[in-house]
Amino acid sequence: MARTEPTAVVDKTAEPADAPRADDLAGLEAGLDALETVRSDRTPFSKTFREKILPPLTAVLVVLVVWQALISFKIVDDPTKLPAPSDVWAELQNAWLKGELLGYIWTSVSRGLLGFLFALAIGTPLGLLVARVKFVRAAIGPILSGLQSLPSVAWVPPAVLWLGLDNSMMYAVILLGAVPSIANGLVSGVDQVPPLFLRAGRTLGATGVRGLWHIVLPAALPGYLAGLKQGWAFSWRSLMAAEIIASSPDLGVGLGQLLENGRNASSMPMVFLAIFLILIVGIVIDLLIFSPLERRVLRGRGLLVKN
């Protein structure tokens, strides 16, 4: 009887030799995840100093050198037109030793921030109303644009006549200067929301207030933030104009009033000190409040990656 050869059993479930293994796929996924992950390591101070601190310090140093050169080489030899940096520094020291310097700053900063918060509370719902209701936009949209282009100093005389020489007059001038900018910034942000976002939100049930809160406002945040920055700039400028024009013992002495006092006393060091303090406060507020907010918004949208 013929012998039968055993037949080999072929495992059809076995993978081909060149098929990727599970550990290879896991390694590939880990690599892709690493590419998409934003590095969270803290930036070395040396790099921060070189990229963030050194450039503005260099610019300030160049300005001081040029300023001192104008005095030293007698290019401007009239101290009533351009005081020496040492004279402005002496004025700063004098105000500090008298205990008045922080009072000047706090008087203006407290008014400016409180007035800006009032403007924020009024301008935000007003901007939403203008952006979402066609009749309201047609009625007051052009008025807001006109008010935004109107110089804030124009509101000081009527505010004094309406409210008198007190803090309410200051806040009224700030509101009239800042509210149109905040509202128009939000309107611009809402107008730039892609319609696809709104349709997707309605499909998911985000309608009415929920759609406004979860879809419209987050999508309009960049434009809204730009309006806030402009609103703060208008707030600060409006306050300085009000403090320069309207003076009263009940109002105290802010930075604008310090500038006016320097003009009345023909003291250029005091005038320059007031100008520098106004400039520094504006820069510090932007660096401490608005720049971090802007970086956070951009980073949340993948537009700013921390290296």
Side-chain angles (χ1 to χ4, degrees):
M1 184 169 109
R3 297 177 57 185
T4 58
E5 296 292 335
T7 57
V9 179
V10 179
D11 187 2
K12 296 183 178 180
T13 61
E15 297 180 355
D18 58 347
R21 295 181 301 173
D23 54 349
D24 293 336
L25 292 176
L28 179 60
E29 292 177 358
L32 292 175
D33 292 340
L35 289 175
E36 295 178 355
T37 302
V38 178
R39 294 179 57 186
S40 59
D41 299 336
R42 294 188 60 182
T43 304
F45 177 75
S46 59
K47 183 177 181 180
T48 302
F49 179 81
R50 185 174 62 254
E51 296 181 356
K52 303 294 184 181
I53 301 177
L54 187 58
L57 287 179
T58 304
V60 171
L61 182 61
V62 169
V63 171
L64 290 177
V65 169
V66 173
W67 183 5
Q68 184 60 50
L70 293 175
I71 303 298
S72 300
F73 293 105
K74 305 297 183 181
I75 299 176
V76 179
D77 56 356
D78 187 354
T80 61
K81 295 182 178 179
L82 182 66
S86 57
D87 295 336
V88 179
W89 178 254
E91 187 69 31
L92 175 66
Q93 288 181 315
N94 184 43
W96 174 263
L97 294 175
K98 289 182 178 180
E100 298 174 344
L101 181 63
L102 294 180
Y104 299 150
I105 298 173
W106 174 247
T107 298
S108 294
V109 170
S110 60
R111 284 175 182 161
L113 290 178
L114 187 58
F116 177 73
L117 291 178
F118 289 152
L120 182 64
I122 296 174
T124 300
L126 180 61
L128 286 174
L129 190 64
V130 172
R132 304 297 289 177
V133 181
K134 293 183 179 180
F135 176 79
V136 176
R137 170 175 291 204
I140 67 174
I143 298 177
L144 286 177
S145 299
L147 290 176
Q148 188 175 358
S149 63
L150 183 67
S152 303
V153 68
W155 291 112
V156 178
V160 172
L161 295 176
W162 293 336
L163 303 172
L165 291 173
D166 55 19
N167 282 323
S168 61
M169 178 272 299
M170 298 284 185
Y171 295 136
V173 174
I174 293 174
L175 290 177
L176 291 169
V179 167
S181 296
I182 296 175
N184 283 331
L186 184 53
V187 170
S188 177
V190 172
D191 289 344
Q192 296 175 16
V193 175
L196 180 61
F197 289 7
L198 302 179
R199 291 196 296 268
R202 286 193 295 267
T203 302
L204 296 174
T207 57
V209 177
R210 293 180 61 187
L212 193 66
W213 179 256
H214 294 287
I215 305 297
V216 176
L217 284 178
L221 196 55
Y224 181 45
L225 184 58
L228 292 183
K229 292 182 67 174
Q230 191 176 45
W232 163 251
F234 275 88
S235 297
W236 191 237
R237 290 163 54 185
S238 302
L239 177 61
M240 292 302 102
E243 288 184 351
I244 290 173
I245 296 176
S247 60
S248 171
D250 297 334
L251 293 174
V253 180
L255 296 178
Q257 186 59 47
L258 178 66
L259 181 62
E260 181 65 11
N261 290 344
R263 185 191 69 84
N264 292 332
S266 298
S267 173
M268 285 304 293
M270 185 181 295
V271 169
F272 269 69
L273 174 61
I275 292 174
F276 289 147
L277 291 177
I278 293 170
L279 178 63
I280 290 171
V281 169
I283 294 173
V284 168
I285 294 295
D286 181 76
L287 292 178
L288 293 181
I289 298 178
F290 295 106
S291 291
L293 286 175
E294 187 174 21
R295 287 196 300 270
R296 184 173 180 179
V297 170
L298 293 176
R299 189 175 294 118
R301 283 159 171 75
L303 301 175
L304 182 65
V305 178
K306 186 177 179 180
N307 296 321

